[in-house]
Every structure is written in structure tokens, then in C-alpha cells.
Amino acid sequence: MFSIALLLLLAAGCVKCEQLTQPASVTVQPGQRLTITCQVSYDLSYWTAWIRQPAGKGLEWIGSKYTGNSYYKDSLKSKFSIDLDASSKTVTLNGQNVQPEDTAVYYCARDPQ
């Protein structure tokens, strides 16, 4: 069993602040599915990305999605998918067959455009 740590991302000191809220942590068994939901304060016509950072390593972009369109890192597109729910303003990262090497801090983030 291994734990996937998550962080709460809050915009600070900005002209128009947005809020993205995630659970503090999620623990999954190897081979299981991973589901992380990000509650956002903005219209989901903006791009939202999922990014991860394994301990001691750099940031890795997983994918980005907005209504009707999505892009994924080639090496991760068979493992992860992103779902949007405009009515509840949630962006969900789904992972399948997660392994210990997927242990990381996972971030959701809004494209500033």
C-alpha cells in the first residue's frame, strides 16, 4: 500500500483569485484505480491541468482538459483520464492500475488564459 499526497492550491495576492480544492491525501493499493476530485471556483470553459511531482523530482504534466477538448502526455494517456462536471464544477483525475512509481504530489491547476 502506498499513499498519494495532495495539496490544496489557493491563489494569493492576485487581482482575480480562483480557488481549487483537493483532498489532503488519498491512499490506494497497487493495481487499483485512483480518483482525485478537484473542486474549482471558475467556469470550466477554462483549461484545467493535472500535474504531479514525485518526491525529489521535477513537475510532470499529466494532461489538460476543458469542455469538449483534452490533451495528455503521450506516456501517461493510457493510464490517466480527466473528467469534467460543469454542474458541480469538479475536475476529476482518474488513474488505472496505479503503481508505487505513481506516488507523488498531484496538483490541479487552471490555465491563466
Side-chain angles (χ1 to χ4, degrees), residues 4-94:
I4 293 178
L6 306 165
L7 291 184
L8 171 69
L9 299 181
L10 295 175
C14 57
V15 174
K16 184 181 185 321
C17 295
E18 304 289 4
Q19 186 167 321
L20 300 89
T21 306
Q22 305 168 225
S25 65
V26 174
T27 301
V28 295
Q29 299 284 348
Q32 287 188 335
R33 289 183 54 82
L34 167 68
T35 301
I36 309 170
T37 298
C38 180
Q39 182 86 42
V40 304
S41 64
Y42 53 86
D43 183 338
L44 288 178
S45 61
Y46 289 96
W47 285 92
T48 302
W50 281 94
I51 300 160
R52 68 181 181 178
Q53 186 170 28
K57 296 186 178 179
L59 293 169
E60 179 179 36
W61 174 74
I62 298 168
S64 299
K65 185 162 186 169
Y66 87 106
T67 307
N69 217 339
S70 60
Y71 296 97
Y72 296 93
K73 181 175 182 179
D74 283 344
S75 62
L76 297 175
K77 64 184 176 183
S78 63
K79 174 167 281 200
F80 293 102
S81 64
I82 300 170
D83 294 323
L84 303 179
D85 186 335
S87 62
S88 62
K89 291 190 174 180
T90 56
V91 184
T92 302
L93 177 69
N94 299 294

